Amino acid sequence: MQKLNFPTYSFRFKNSENKTLIYDEIRKKFVVLQPEEWVRQHCVQFLIQQKGYPKSLINVEKELKVNNLSKRYDIVIYNPDGSIHVIVECKSAKINIDQSTFDQIARYNLALNATYLMVTNGINHYYCSMDLHAERYQFLKDIPDYTT
């Protein structure tokens, strides 16, 4: 897999039916290692190891409804009160992040009302804070570290 613009992390791998699987410690299972999954697993480790977010507040690959359509978000970080702190949209390193990527995460956020958004393809990372009242986002240099 391609080297990404994240620190180096150690992962557990196994092979099954001619496919490489990577262990997802949030979902507590092995999942097929696709390019987007490689980015997602690095991002999860970044959030845990560099940003200090507890695993118990992180959720990966769950369904949500957006305009009565079923969608799946990549990563959500909850606040201890159950509200959503951060939504992360992961793309394969081969995918350029463009306006449609931001439109996608903004649509998800209409349903989730997160304070922060992160978009990454593993090479480029973009961070935004949400102004839910004005319905716009402001770009940031980083998302905040976890604080209790």
Side-chain angles (χ1 to χ4, degrees), residues 6 9 12 23 25 69 79 82 84-85 90 108-109 117 120 135:
F6 283 108
Y9 302 112
R12 289 173 46 202
Y23 188 75
E25 62 181 90
L69 298 173
N79 288 307
I84 296 178
H85 188 59
C90 300
Y108 290 2
N109 203 37
L117 308 178
T120 182
E135 295 182 351

Side-chain angles (χ1 to χ4, degrees), residues 121-138:
N121 63 3
I123 307 300
N124 299 302
H125 317 299
Y126 300 93
Y127 312 96
C128 307
S129 65
M130 287 302 305
D131 181 341
L132 296 172
H133 299 293
E135 295 182 351
R136 64 179 182 196
Y137 44 84
Q138 178 178 349

Side-chain angles (χ1 to χ4, degrees), residues 65-83:
K65 294 281 186 191
V66 179
N67 297 328
N68 292 323
L69 298 173
S70 291
K71 303 289 184 181
R72 292 184 82 74
Y73 61 71
D74 285 308
I75 303 169
V76 162
I77 303 171
Y78 290 93
N79 288 307
D81 68 4
S83 62

